[in-house]
């Protein structure tokens, strides 16, 4: 068998670019697909070998690379540990406190391994020795292992990868180890097992990071985390590429580690909540107003990003107070609290801004334009533009967003998803997969030469802000320092909005799980300017409009605790009065 | 851009004999999808709709989930040990392929590829080749698609986009194109022959005749396990085109040898070799049902040159009358021309043209049919001739033809002379409710007058016979004539004054 030798020599054939080499008796390589014999002969890789005969040199050289190629036996959780470590390091490089990696994430991970019986336990979910001895003493197997084994057997008929491997291993024990998947990857392939033992998935790595960041009260919200992941600052797509040399991915490992899409906000949030419950985490450290995750500070950030005047912050804080969402009892995450889920701090903060805008400008497609007209008049009178004009702001931000959306779409179109090191689904497919990868690389190189473009696109450094204002290459002029002007009236010493009314959608809360999303059916009936503002906010956060709308509804419910109100125009001059 | 003319109009186009153009330039009618076609037009590459159509119609066998790394997904290279077993499970029905559009379950990778394809499409439509090539770099990753139907589709799309971009990009050289085609041939072994054929078309377009021949010769001898058997249809096409290129060489040899009349023996022999090569392949392809217009023309041309008129006639008759072949007006056109060249009887010619008229009533040869029928002169043939004219003028494209209307006028005169005016009534009966609006309105008169006075005069005779003297057309004609007369008077008056 000269498979080892052939595995060693991976250049494509010059005639047909297939990598499918055989070795002739003289020790020369020939292409199995087009029978092209090439000049190159098997090289003697072992310098200690001094035998003159070439044939013996082949057999001698054959063993050594085989031993090198023999990857270490490894478990899937080791792979995830490696990925988590890399992700944590990427976060540290962004300036997160070092406790994240060594203290918090590490402890979470250990706790997870223990709870899921993968390590730190006397009864491991999968043990190598019991697997090997299973033939001799099947009665000693734990129940879970039995199920895992039977699963593997039934699957082996359907799953080609498995049968191929067993086919190879029958040739000789050494060969089977040239390419092996992780020891316990069969466990991960059944959805039932995954659910039962709460096994790791790629989105769960982000859930781990999110929980750790939340525990540390770092300024990176979930939306930020997902954006950094999408931009490639946090390793996620093809994270397995950087595995150490002796951890070789093969067959089913691909199903576990290969990523073809990024998880959604909701999904990671749910995963994180489930994980917190599974880990039996205590109440998180209280979230006080000094924390960067506190809505009042997050709002400051989003106001800046949305190019809204700072003066609005007072109103946002006031709304926050009225709704009672600024207290640490409300904000602190407790996995075991009743009716609890993870709070989405970023969406909450942006919803606060939307509610404030509705309060001041009403956003009913009329009032805000009237106020803009009066702001324009005031500016004309004062011969400057110190008063915030909703119309101008809307035009600026909307224009910048259209550009940003287009750029995002183009970036998505150019995004690279496939790994440099492909994972072979089975031994038989190996040559095909390698060949295809090679062809892709050759095609890319050819077209790069043709276009004269740079193979490695430059990557921007991670930033909390997607849009910049008031700079030369920014999206437009900055409205940060503008005053609200006639949108706010002074009466009896206290300020109140000059807009007298507030509209909202039905406040009655729906049954959870029965109907969740009314935004799509309502969208056409909502005022356009409100929908546009939702669109801006949701684009900045990278979530869907419906999430922001749901959060706005929730806030309104908290503000006017009056259930079962149809869509009304509520006058609430007295309510708002401090 | 070269288009593969598929419109009815193309029936009118006569082919130039022995023009050594790449065959796909020749226009031919559309065929039903079940028969082979000789022009897998290279020019169609630009038509991006074709790609979408391809998405819709490519046969699907495996609609399994995308993450399913099933065994025979990537086995195209292992075909010898792995027969195409799973395929038989899925009947080859013409079900539309899944449209890989936007769905809620779409993975990020698929979204990227969809957006990327859209971008490339935009770039191609606006001829931004550089940008298209840049996007294509990102699009290549779809070749590594896991599910087989998507992978096959990606190969096809990349091949088409890539060759089009390379064809148009200012920086691309012939080596680039060749390298690209070679790579693509080896990626999708399932499309090897098709890509070889397209490669040779490309070479023909860029004027590398010898390379194109070499390309086809290599493809002819290609063997790849079961793959070559699966692509038997394509192989036939390759043989046919190989033969056709031999025919083209034969023509160029013929042209050069006729110049110096000495008749170099070796040149004649060479010419004969080409003839034999072409004959064998062309004979083969003509046995299969399909639309083989350029091949037939070439083959008949050669046979005629070597005085095998009997053989040529048989070939043409077979091509025109075999019921397995799709109805093809050009087949009858060729047969008619051949008969005319051979000086065969009018009866035979009329018979062929009548069949052609049944297929395409507005064919330009119908005027010839008309004059042939007139010559025979019986009442029956006069009636048929009138029908031919009516049918011809039903078609929009003949509306302003002076020749057609002149024929009609002559016909009316003839009928009057022979006292057979009742024949007109029959044809008119079905048309009297729409022809006045179609031909004889006031504005028609004005337009016709601007076009040519002759046309107006011819049509007036017809209109007054069919509709009556007082129809709009005639009245308008009179006004126009009066105006013209008046203008002439003024002119002559002025001249005289001077």
């Amino acid at each position: 068998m000269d498979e080892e030798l052939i595995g060693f020599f991976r250049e494509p054939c010059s005639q047909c670019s297939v990598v499918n080499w055989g070795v002739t008796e003289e020790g020369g390589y020939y292409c199995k697909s087009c029978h092209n014999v090439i000049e190159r002969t098997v090289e003697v890789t072992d310098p200690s070998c001094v035998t003159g005969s070439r044939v013996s040199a082949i057999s001698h050289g054959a063993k050594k690379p085989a031993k090198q190629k023999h990857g270490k036996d490894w478990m899937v959780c080791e792979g995830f540990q490696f990925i988590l470590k890399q992700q944590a390091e990427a976060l540290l490089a962004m300036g997160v406190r070092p406790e994240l990696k060594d203290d918090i994430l590490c402890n979470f991970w250990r706790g997870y391994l223990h709870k899921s019986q993968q390590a730190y336990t006397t009864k491991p979910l999968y043990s190598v020795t019991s697997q090997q001895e299973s033939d001799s003493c099947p009665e000693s197997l734990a129940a879970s292992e039995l199920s895992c084994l039977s699963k593997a057997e039934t699957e082996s008929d359907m799953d080609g990868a498995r049968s191929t491997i067993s086919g190879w291993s029958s040739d000789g024990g050494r060969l089977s180890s040239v390419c092996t998947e992780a020891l316990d990857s069969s466990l991960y392939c059944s959805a039932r097992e995954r659910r039962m033992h709460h096994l790791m998935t790629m989105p769960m790595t982000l859930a781990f990071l999110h929980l750790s960041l939340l525990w540390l009260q770092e300024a990176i919200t979930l939306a930020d985390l997902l954006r950094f992941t999408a931009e490639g600052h946090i390793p996620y797509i093809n994270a397995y590429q950087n595995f150490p040399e002796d951890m070789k991915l093969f067959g089913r490992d691909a199903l576990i580690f290969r990523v073809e899409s990024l998880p959604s906000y909701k999904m990671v949030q749910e995963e994180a909540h489930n994980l917190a419950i599974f880990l039996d985490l205590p109440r998180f450290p209280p979230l006080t107003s000094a924390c960067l995750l506190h809505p009042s500070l997050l709002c400051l950030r989003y106001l800046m990003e949305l190019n809204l005047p700072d003066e609005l912050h007072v109103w946002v804080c006031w709304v926050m107070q009225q709704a009672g969402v600024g207290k640490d009892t409300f904000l602190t995450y407790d996995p075991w609290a009743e009716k609890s889920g993870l709070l989405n701090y970023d969406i909450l903060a942006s919803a606060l801004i939307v509610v404030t805008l509705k309060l001041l400008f009403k956003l009913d497609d009329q009032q805000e334009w009237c106020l803009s007209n009066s702001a324009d008049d005031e500016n004309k009178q004062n011969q400057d533009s110190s008063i915030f004009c909703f119309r101008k702001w809307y035009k600026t931000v909307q224009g910048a967003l259209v550009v940003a959306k287009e750029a995002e779409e183009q970036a998505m179109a150019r995004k690279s998803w496939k790994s440099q090191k492909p994972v072979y689904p089975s031994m038989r497919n190996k040559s095909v997969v390698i060949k295809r990868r090679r062809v892709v690389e050759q095609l890319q190189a050819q077209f790069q030469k043709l276009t004269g473009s740079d193979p490695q696109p430059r990557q921007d450094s991670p930033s909390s802000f997607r849009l910049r204002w008031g700079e030369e290459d920014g999206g437009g002029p900055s409205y940060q320092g503008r005053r609200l002007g006639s949108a706010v009236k002074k009466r009896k010493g206290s300020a109140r909005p000059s807009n007298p009314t507030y509209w909202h959608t039905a406040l009655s809360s729906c049954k959870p799980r029965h109907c969740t999303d009314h935004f799509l059916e309502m969208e056409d009936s909502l005022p356009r300017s409100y929908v546009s503002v939702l669109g801006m906010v949701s684009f900045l956060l990278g979530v869907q409009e419906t999430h922001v709308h749901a959060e706005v509804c929730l806030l309104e419910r908290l503000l006017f605790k009056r259930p079962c109100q149809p869509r009304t125009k509520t006058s609430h001059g007295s309510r708002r009065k401090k | 851009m070269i288009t593969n003319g598929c419109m009815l109009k193309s029936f009118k186009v006569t082919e130039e004999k022995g023009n050594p153009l790449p065959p796909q330039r020749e226009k031919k009618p559309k065929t039903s999808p079940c028969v082979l076609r000789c022009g897998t037009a290279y020019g169609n590459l630009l038509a991006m709709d074709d790609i979408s159509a391809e998405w819709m119609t490519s046969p699907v066998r495996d609609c399994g989930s995308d993450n399913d790394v099933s065994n025979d997904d990537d086995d195209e290279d292992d075909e010898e040990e792995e027969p195409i077993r799973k395929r038989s499970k899925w009947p080859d029905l013409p079900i539309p392929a899944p449209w890989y559009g936007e769905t809620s379950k779409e993975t990020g990778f698929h979204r990227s590829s969809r957006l990327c394809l859209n971008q490339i499409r935009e770039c191609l439509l606006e001829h931004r080749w550089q940008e298209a090539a840049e996007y294509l770099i990102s699009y290549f990753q779809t070749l590594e698609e896991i599910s087989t139907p998507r992978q096959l589709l990606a190969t096809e799309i990349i091949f088409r986009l890539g060759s089009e971009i390379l064809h148009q990009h200012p920086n691309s050289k012939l080596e680039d194109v060749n390298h690209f085609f070679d790579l693509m041939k080896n990626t999708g072994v399932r499309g090897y022959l098709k890509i070889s054929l397209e490669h040779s078309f490309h070479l023909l377009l860029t004027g590398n005749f010898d390379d194109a021949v070499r390309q086809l010769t290599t493809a002819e001898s290609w063997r790849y396990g079961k793959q070559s058997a699966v692509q038997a249809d394509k192989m036939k096409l390759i043989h046919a085109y190989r033969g056709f290129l031999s025919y083209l060489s034969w023509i160029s040899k013929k042209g050069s040898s006729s110049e110096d009349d000495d008749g170099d023996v070796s040149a004649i022999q060479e010419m004969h070799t080409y003839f034999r090569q072409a004959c064998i392949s062309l004979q083969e392809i003509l046995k299969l049902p399909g639309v083989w217009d350029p091949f037939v023309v070439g083959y008949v041309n050669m046979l005629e040159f070597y005085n095998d008129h009997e053989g040529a006639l048989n070939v043409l008759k077979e091509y025109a009358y075999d019921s397995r072949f799709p109805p093809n007006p050009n087949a009858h056109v060729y047969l008619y021309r051949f008969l005319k060249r051979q000086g065969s009887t009018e009866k035979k010619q009329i018979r062929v043209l009548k069949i052609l008229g049944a297929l395409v009533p507005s064919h330009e040869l119908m005027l010839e049919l008309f004059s042939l029928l007139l010559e025979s002169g019986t009442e029956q043939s006069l009636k048929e001739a009138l029908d031919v004219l009516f049918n011809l003028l039903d078609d929009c494209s003949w509306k302003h033809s002076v020749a057609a209307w002149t024929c009609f006028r002559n016909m009316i005169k003839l009928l009057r002379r022979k006292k057979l005016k009742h024949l007109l009534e029959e044809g008119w009966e079905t048309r009297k409710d729409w022809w006045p609006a179609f031909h004889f309105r006031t504005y028609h008169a004005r337009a016709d007058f601007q076009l040519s006075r002759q046309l107006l005069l011819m049509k007036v005779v017809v209109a007054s016979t069919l509709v009556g003297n007082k129809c709009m057309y005639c009245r308008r004609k009179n006004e126009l004539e009066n105006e013209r007369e008046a203008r002439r008077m003024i002119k002559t008056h002025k001249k005289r004054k001077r």
Side-chain angles (χ1 to χ4, degrees):
Chain A
M1 291 303 296
D2 37 37
E3 301 299 330
E4 296 96 318
L5 280 173
I6 295 151
F8 204 54
F9 180 56
R10 290 257 191 88
E11 273 173 41
C13 172
S14 56
Q15 296 269 317
C16 59
S17 33
V18 182
V19 185
N20 189 10
W21 296 105
V23 178
T24 59
E25 286 182 3
E26 288 83 33
Y29 284 109
Y30 72 97
C31 177
K32 277 185 180 170
S33 57
C34 65
H35 302 284
N36 169 36
V37 182
I38 55 163
E39 291 282 313
R40 186 172 162 153
T41 48
V42 176
E43 283 165 39
V44 183
T45 46
D46 188 358
S48 65
C49 166
V50 284
T51 31
S53 146
R54 196 172 250 167
V55 179
S56 66
I58 297 168
S59 58
H60 205 101
K63 280 169 192 164
K64 189 118 191 191
K67 263 180 199 156
Q68 281 166 353
K69 277 196 74 67
H70 178 284
K72 187 184 82 173
D73 291 338
W74 58 287
M75 311 278 279
V76 174
C77 62
E78 288 177 274
F80 279 114
Q81 182 169 329
F82 186 81
I83 292 174
L84 273 176
K85 180 171 156 263
Q86 278 199 320
Q87 289 175 335
E89 276 162 2
L91 281 175
L92 293 198
M94 278 181 214
V96 175
R97 276 178 281 161
E99 293 98 293
L100 175 93
K101 184 182 152 204
D102 299 330
D103 266 358
I104 295 154
L105 184 59
C106 188
N107 276 332
F108 283 172
W109 178 243
R110 279 190 192 142
Y112 167 77
L113 288 181
H114 171 67
K115 291 253 174 190
S116 62
Q117 293 184 317
Q118 296 188 50
Y120 307 109
T121 172
T122 49
K123 274 208 298 185
L125 191 64
Y126 180 97
S127 75
V128 181
T129 46
S130 62
Q131 281 279 314
Q132 282 166 351
E133 288 160 7
S134 58
D135 295 332
S136 53
C137 45
E139 66 275 6
S140 69
L141 285 173
S144 65
E145 282 153 8
L146 260 177
S147 71
C148 138
L149 264 181
S150 61
K151 195 83 202 164
E153 269 165 20
T154 49
E155 268 179 19
S156 66
D157 296 327
M158 300 178 295
D159 192 357
R162 187 75 198 175
S163 59
T164 329
I165 297 162
S166 54
W168 278 98
S169 50
S170 64
D171 285 353
R174 187 156 40 79
L175 266 182
S176 68
S177 57
V178 172
C179 259
T180 46
E181 44 194 25
L183 289 173
D184 51 346
S185 59
S186 59
L187 265 183
Y188 282 76
C189 287
S190 103
R192 202 172 64 97
E193 296 279 335
R194 268 206 310 270
R195 254 198 321 276
M196 212 161 73
H197 302 296
H198 212 92
L199 295 175
M200 279 296 285
T201 56
M202 279 306 280
M204 268 173 75
T205 58
L206 293 181
F208 264 106
L209 293 186
H210 180 49
L211 280 184
S212 325
L213 286 169
L214 194 60
W215 188 280
L216 256 190
Q217 301 177 342
E218 282 288 346
I220 298 181
T221 63
L222 182 52
D224 292 332
L225 186 72
L226 288 174
R227 186 160 55 82
F228 291 145
T229 312
E231 284 169 4
H233 299 301
I234 295 172
Y236 186 76
I237 300 164
N238 298 326
Y240 61 86
Q241 273 189 123
N242 305 324
F243 277 4
E245 270 302 298
D246 48 0
M247 277 167 71
K248 293 253 181 270
L249 267 77
F250 180 71
R252 278 180 239 190
D253 299 344
L255 298 182
I256 307 168
F257 289 105
R258 186 174 44 211
V259 172
E260 289 214 332
S261 48
L262 293 168
S264 68
Y265 189 98
K266 271 265 174 290
M267 182 184 176
V268 177
Q269 205 180 28
E270 270 165 31
E271 289 274 9
H273 182 59
N274 293 341
L275 188 66
I277 291 193
F278 180 69
L279 293 181
D280 206 2
L281 292 183
R283 193 181 144 88
F284 274 47
L287 199 78
T288 57
S289 56
C291 301
L292 285 170
L293 272 184
H294 192 274
S296 83
L297 292 183
L298 271 184
C299 277
L300 257 188
R301 181 184 144 190
Y302 290 133
L303 281 178
M304 202 194 271
E305 179 133 42
L306 278 170
N307 203 5
L308 285 165
D310 289 338
E311 229 175 276
L312 270 179
H313 190 241
V314 185
W315 291 94
V316 173
C317 289
W318 182 81
V319 171
M320 185 171 72
Q321 219 174 24
Q322 291 294 307
V325 294
K327 288 170 272 178
D328 64 341
T329 45
F330 177 83
L331 289 172
T332 308
Y333 173 53
D334 185 357
W336 295 100
E338 233 176 280
K339 245 183 88 181
S340 158
L342 255 172
L343 273 182
N344 21 22
Y345 300 96
D346 32 19
I347 300 187
L348 178 71
S350 51
L352 277 172
I353 295 180
V354 176
V355 170
T356 312
L357 283 177
K358 269 171 83 178
L359 194 64
L360 289 180
F361 299 99
K362 199 170 174 191
L363 303 190
D364 68 340
D365 286 346
Q366 279 180 6
Q367 183 74 22
E368 68 271 26
W369 308 123
C370 293
L371 285 170
S372 306
N373 289 342
S374 52
D376 275 341
D377 291 344
E378 274 181 84
N379 279 337
K380 243 178 233 168
Q381 277 176 10
N382 301 345
Q383 303 273 324
D384 62 359
S385 51
S386 61
I387 308 289
F388 175 76
C389 170
F390 186 86
R391 185 184 290 117
K392 276 186 185 149
W393 169 82
Y394 178 82
K395 278 184 185 163
T396 314
V397 177
Q398 194 67 18
L401 273 190
V402 168
V403 175
K405 265 184 193 161
E406 210 162 279
E408 195 191 53
E409 198 144 282
Q410 285 179 0
M412 187 68 185
R414 288 173 197 261
K415 194 168 178 63
S416 163
W417 290 88
K418 291 292 174 181
S419 156
Q420 305 283 325
K421 293 189 213 161
V423 185
Y424 325 122
S426 71
M427 202 58 206
R428 203 165 51 79
N429 288 339
K430 188 174 168 182
S431 61
V432 182
V433 174
I434 291 181
K435 191 184 88 176
R436 211 164 268 162
R437 177 75 224 159
R438 192 134 317 174
V439 168
V440 170
E441 275 166 11
Q442 284 180 1
L443 284 172
Q444 282 174 342
Q446 189 195 352
F447 273 75
Q448 259 148 16
K449 217 179 90 195
L450 180 77
T451 55
S453 62
D454 195 7
Q456 249 75 45
R458 76 189 167 82
Q459 211 177 24
D460 293 324
S461 53
S463 157
S464 309
F465 293 97
R466 302 190 70 171
L467 300 171
R468 280 173 303 167
W469 308 101
E471 294 171 30
E472 274 196 11
D473 55 343
S478 164
Y479 296 101
Q480 227 179 314
R482 306 281 164 95
R483 286 176 293 111
L484 289 175
S486 60
V488 178
K489 276 193 288 196
K490 287 256 191 241
R491 199 187 287 172
K492 294 179 191 165
S494 67
R496 50 192 349 210
S498 50
N499 160 40
T501 52
Y502 186 91
W503 67 268
H504 54 75
T505 49
L507 285 180
S508 59
S509 55
C510 309
K511 281 184 192 166
R513 274 183 215 160
H514 276 279
C515 47
T516 47
D517 185 9
H518 292 296
F519 179 68
L520 284 180
E521 58 199 59
M522 283 200 299
E523 192 183 348
D524 293 336
S525 62
L526 292 174
R528 289 300 88 194
S529 51
Y530 171 69
V531 176
S532 311
V533 169
L534 277 191
M536 294 171 189
V537 168
S538 58
F539 174 75
L540 286 184
L541 295 179
V543 296
Q544 284 177 326
E545 278 110 328
T546 160
H547 295 329
V548 185
H549 178 70
E551 201 72 22
V552 168
C553 291
L554 181 88
L555 265 182
E556 282 168 352
R557 225 168 286 145
L558 290 172
L559 274 174
F560 329 103
K561 283 170 190 142
R562 243 194 286 165
C564 298
Q565 277 268 333
R567 193 181 154 175
T568 51
K569 294 195 168 186
T570 327
S571 164
H572 53 302
S574 58
R575 267 182 169 280
R576 270 185 286 102
K577 195 113 193 330
K578 278 188 201 175
Chain B
M1 196 183 102
I2 315 140
T3 50
N4 193 13
C6 297
M7 302 289 111
L8 266 181
K9 244 185 180 176
S10 69
F11 297 155
K12 282 186 168 183
V13 176
T14 52
E15 272 164 32
E16 284 170 67
K17 272 178 292 169
N19 184 9
L21 278 176
Q24 69 279 7
R25 278 174 191 257
E26 279 161 276
K27 310 205 171 180
K28 42 199 153 329
K30 203 163 199 160
T31 61
S32 57
C34 56
V35 286
L36 290 172
R37 269 176 82 183
C38 57
T40 36
Y42 186 77
N44 259 358
L45 286 181
L46 242 193
M48 295 294 293
D49 291 341
D50 284 10
I51 291 181
S52 304
E54 200 91 28
W55 286 52
M56 303 292 282
T57 53
S58 68
V60 217
R61 284 139 191 154
D62 176 18
C63 309
S65 86
D66 295 336
N67 287 332
D68 175 18
V69 189
S70 75
N71 234 347
D72 50 346
D73 270 2
D74 298 307
D75 64 355
E76 54 175 57
D77 288 16
D78 303 33
E79 213 60 56
E80 271 170 88
E81 35 190 278
E82 195 70 28
I84 324 153
R85 56 190 160 76
K86 282 217 169 164
R87 211 156 302 158
S88 54
K89 272 206 310 196
W90 302 89
D92 244 341
L93 295 175
I95 17 169
W99 170 251
Y100 299 125
E102 189 173 2
T103 58
S104 55
K105 295 253 166 100
E106 189 182 35
T107 66
F109 172 56
H110 290 148
R111 177 152 181 266
S112 275
S113 7
R114 183 169 54 79
L115 290 178
C116 196
L117 186 62
N118 283 346
Q119 293 282 359
I120 298 177
R121 189 190 183 119
E122 290 296 310
C123 293
L124 288 193
L125 288 176
E126 290 164 24
H127 291 215
R128 288 178 282 146
W129 310 114
Q130 169 76 13
E131 215 173 312
E134 280 168 18
Y135 276 114
L136 194 61
I137 296 175
S138 310
Y139 197 73
F140 285 134
Q141 58 179 332
T142 52
L143 273 183
E144 292 183 79
E145 185 66 74
I146 302 155
S147 84
T148 318
R150 278 178 184 268
Q151 207 272 334
L152 286 179
L153 196 59
T155 318
E156 175 85 23
I157 291 176
I158 286 180
F159 156 63
R160 290 192 172 217
L161 292 179
S163 49
E164 185 58 35
I165 290 173
L166 282 175
H167 188 60
Q168 307 277 2
H169 197 279
N171 293 352
S172 85
K173 295 182 211 69
L174 188 60
E175 300 93 74
D176 288 334
V177 181
N178 288 339
H179 181 62
F180 176 76
F181 274 108
D182 286 338
L183 275 178
M184 287 320 291
K185 270 180 226 166
N186 290 311
T187 340
V189 195
R190 297 182 197 201
Y192 183 91
L193 290 181
K194 188 159 92 178
I195 297 173
S196 294
L197 197 57
E198 300 270 353
H199 191 179
S200 65
F201 287 164
H202 184 93
L203 290 169
L204 283 178
L205 273 180
T206 47
N208 298 288
F209 187 81
D210 294 339
D211 287 335
V213 174
R214 210 168 303 131
Q215 197 54 241
L216 286 179
T217 322
T218 333
E220 266 185 322
S221 55
W222 182 70
R223 294 285 174 276
Y224 199 95
K226 292 222 160 57
Q227 281 298 332
S228 10
V230 171
Q231 299 175 27
D233 280 356
K234 302 275 174 8
M235 193 51 110
K236 282 170 197 152
L237 273 184
I238 298 251
H239 285 311
Y241 270 104
R242 176 81 187 77
F244 190 70
L245 292 191
S246 302
Y247 163 69
L248 294 182
S249 315
W250 178 83
I251 281 193
S252 62
K253 276 275 164 322
K254 191 180 88 172
S256 62
S257 66
S258 61
E259 273 167 24
D260 40 25
D261 278 298
D262 317 343
D264 193 349
V265 183
S266 68
I268 288 177
Q269 255 179 357
E270 207 179 338
M271 200 170 129
H272 208 73
T273 323
Y274 282 130
F275 165 66
R276 268 201 312 265
Q277 279 177 358
C279 266
I280 293 165
S281 337
L282 292 181
Q283 255 171 350
E284 280 304 309
I285 196 79
L286 291 180
K287 281 179 194 157
L288 297 169
V291 177
W292 311 119
D293 293 353
F295 301 155
V296 167
V297 172
Y299 190 44
V300 168
N301 194 13
M302 284 193 295
L303 289 180
E304 267 186 280
F305 183 80
Y306 290 109
N307 286 323
D308 184 3
H309 300 300
E310 188 76 13
L313 185 67
N314 282 340
V315 168
L316 284 172
K317 275 189 174 168
E318 191 91 332
Y319 189 54
Y321 296 136
D322 195 327
S323 56
R324 292 175 304 143
F325 281 60
N328 179 1
N330 280 351
H332 302 284
V333 175
Y334 300 145
L335 184 56
Y336 166 71
R337 293 225 183 97
F338 179 79
L339 291 176
K340 208 174 158 190
R341 276 200 300 276
Q342 298 298 318
S344 69
T345 57
E346 281 177 9
K347 215 174 153 192
K348 277 184 185 171
Q349 294 184 26
I350 289 175
R351 205 165 56 207
V352 175
L353 283 180
K354 271 186 189 166
I355 298 173
L356 177 65
L359 284 173
V360 192
S362 61
H363 200 283
E364 61 172 7
L365 284 180
M366 288 305 107
L367 283 183
E368 289 191 30
L369 175 60
F370 172 76
S371 46
L372 281 174
L373 284 170
L374 269 197
E375 274 170 38
S376 57
T378 60
E379 187 180 334
Q380 178 59 23
S381 62
L382 279 183
K383 188 175 168 296
E384 279 168 2
L386 194 63
D387 276 345
V388 167
L389 268 188
F390 268 123
N391 287 332
L392 200 63
L393 288 169
D394 280 346
D395 194 90
C396 220
S397 52
W398 289 94
K399 243 176 142 175
H400 304 295
S401 159
V402 182
W405 287 106
T406 315
C407 286
F408 211 127
R409 204 260 328 239
N410 294 344
M411 185 74 193
I412 288 173
K413 274 188 176 170
L414 186 73
L415 290 176
R416 267 191 204 140
R417 216 170 40 237
K418 294 206 170 184
K419 309 240 182 315
L420 287 170
K421 268 187 80 178
H422 62 276
L423 289 180
L424 271 174
E425 297 301 321
E426 279 176 45
W428 180 242
E429 196 57 38
T430 51
R431 291 175 177 83
K432 71 179 173 195
D433 47 346
W434 65 281
W435 262 38
F438 187 59
H439 286 305
F440 306 128
R441 278 281 154 85
T442 322
Y443 72 88
H444 284 128
R446 198 172 54 241
D448 291 341
F449 183 68
Q450 271 166 6
L451 219 61
S452 113
R453 184 162 167 262
Q454 185 72 13
L455 178 63
L456 182 78
L457 295 179
M458 295 299 136
K459 267 179 92 173
V460 158
V461 178
V462 179
S464 59
T465 316
L466 291 177
V467 192
N469 264 330
K470 289 178 180 164
C471 70
M472 290 182 200
Y473 195 89
C474 300
R475 269 182 292 170
R476 181 71 187 154
K477 180 245 163 191
N478 291 337
E479 285 167 28
L480 288 167
E481 285 292 299
N482 291 343
E483 273 173 38
R484 187 166 168 273
E485 194 61 26
R487 244 177 286 140
R488 215 164 50 109
M489 293 279 280
I490 294 168
K491 239 184 220 170
T492 46
H493 190 69
K494 272 182 187 169
K495 256 186 200 166
R496 254 182 232 159
K497 256 190 175 178
R498 241 180 261 161

